[in-house]
Amino acid sequence: MKLDIQTIITAGRDLQFFCHGQARENGWWTDITTGQDLTSKGYPKINPTKNVGELLALVHSEVSEAMEGHRKLLMDDKLPNRTMLEVELADAVIRIFDMSGGLGLDVAGAIADKLEFNASRQDHRVESRRAVGGKKF
Ligand SMILES: [Mg+2]
């Protein structure tokens, strides 16, 4: 598969715009007591206002919910026409792009760079995976 890097970057930046924009509109990046804007740009040189560990834990919680949905083959309770697995994975992606926007990260660019890197990895090829010591999953 030939990677279209510009399409990947544009798609990621669009996701970031909408995921973070909705969270901002809903006040998740404003201190509800003081009204302080909690977004921060310049990571890692500037210490983020938000607790990054907490944001990462929220992403992890969505992945755990996806696992539980898969384990029990559940449909989602809020979107009953969809599996819990796909909705919780969507929640995880939404949280990642929200976090990326709030901290001023370039996750879209990193995805493009990583896909490009992965395309050239020898250890991801079938022959390498079949070899002794190869990645089995
Ligand atoms: Mg969820």
Side-chain angles (χ1 to χ4, degrees):
M1 175 195 303
K2 177 157 174 29
L3 295 174
D4 182 344
I5 295 301
Q6 195 52 55
T7 297
I8 293 165
I9 291 171
T10 300
R13 289 187 179 156
D14 285 349
L15 279 169
Q16 180 171 302
F17 176 82
F18 288 107
C19 296
H20 180 60
Q22 187 175 73
R24 277 184 69 98
E25 281 182 13
N26 290 332
W28 293 108
W29 289 88
T30 304
D31 185 308
I32 57 173
T33 305
T34 65
Q36 178 193 0
D37 180 4
L38 300 175
T39 57
S40 47
K41 314 293 182 194
Y43 181 89
K45 290 181 183 150
I46 297 171
N47 218 12
T49 310
K50 281 265 210 178
N51 181 335
V52 174
E54 183 179 282
L55 295 172
L56 290 169
L58 289 169
V59 172
H60 189 273
S61 75
E62 304 296 354
V63 175
S64 295
E65 289 171 8
M67 174 65 181
E68 192 66 6
H70 171 62
R71 191 164 74 101
K72 297 177 181 171
L73 293 178
L74 298 174
M75 298 303 286
D76 189 69
D77 60 340
K78 295 172 190 76
L79 301 177
N81 60 321
R82 295 193 174 277
T83 64
M84 190 171 166
L85 176 62
E86 64 188 349
V87 173
E88 298 307 336
L89 289 175
D91 281 346
V93 171
I94 290 167
R95 286 197 183 278
I96 289 168
F97 278 109
D98 173 35
M99 181 178 177
S100 176
L103 299 178
L105 305 176
D106 180 21
V107 169
I111 289 170
D113 287 349
K114 196 63 200 291
L115 285 171
E116 203 163 43
F117 173 75
N118 286 348
S120 65
R121 288 181 71 157
Q122 289 300 315
D123 62 333
H124 281 197
R125 298 193 187 287
V126 172
E127 319 79 74
S128 302
R129 291 171 43 216
R130 284 188 183 129
V132 175
K135 293 180 176 177
K136 300 306 174 205
F137 53 89

